[in-house]
Amino acid sequence: MKTIGLLGGMSWESTLGYYRSINQGIKNALGGLHSAEIVLYSVDFDPVEKMLSLGDWDGVAESLSLAAESVEAAGADFLLLCTNTMHMIADQIQDSLGIPLLHIADATAESLVDQEIERVGLLGTALTMEQDFYRQRLQDMYGIETLIPDMEERRFVHEVIFQELCLGTVNTASKRQYLQIIQRLAEKGARGVILGCTEIGMLVKQQDTRVRLFDTTAIHAEKAVDYALT
């Protein structure tokens, strides 16, 4: 079994989901008392978020690259960056490492391709929904078109992530509005919706809607299990 490296804490609420899902996946695959071999570096999210607010991506890249190097030095065979938004600097982090980084958008795209989905909705932070690093990767590498909510809906989705979910708060009213946004994306032609922030799976689940959901935390964790056992 390979040792899985996790760079988490962004937020720790979703990193908890990674840890649980990966260990459950290894247990299901191997049985008995097996669990995953994991090296976890959980960063303090507050200073990272402050750098994001200032647009200091060089500072974020330097900070997370140093953390990733610590994970590699501790014996990880590959790395998962346990957040969608920070994949904006995935290439810089990968360049600092001698081990592979399993990109969350690639894992998600492979799941979409398996289900023959070529048009999908995307929910996430404002950066994930609006910048090219995620949507363009899906388009250029996998031929998948991405639809995003309108401006006011994007603002709401972003605020719920940072003001509620990252703090461990699950609000019924917010869930209702998320489900309405998901339904509107489906009405615009999305054949599924990516939960493109690792906290969103805390709020909405597949049993809440008929629209197919692609929870990036679960998909990324499953990819890690497969890679660790290959």
Side-chain angles (χ1 to χ4, degrees), residues 174-203:
S174 297
K175 176 177 181 176
R176 187 181 308 113
Q177 286 192 249
Y178 261 58
L179 291 173
Q180 291 171 355
I181 293 169
I182 288 168
Q183 183 59 40
R184 281 193 285 272
L185 286 170
E187 291 168 358
K188 291 178 182 177
R191 295 187 55 215
V193 172
I194 298 170
L195 306 184
C197 176
T198 51
E199 284 82 19
I200 297 178
M202 297 164 54
L203 185 65

Side-chain angles (χ1 to χ4, degrees), residues 136-154:
Q136 201 67 46
R137 191 179 186 96
L138 295 182
Q139 180 67 61
D140 292 348
M141 296 180 64
Y142 301 94
I144 297 170
E145 178 187 356
T146 306
L147 305 178
I148 60 174
D150 64 29
M151 184 180 298
E152 188 61 25
E153 290 173 335
R154 295 199 301 271

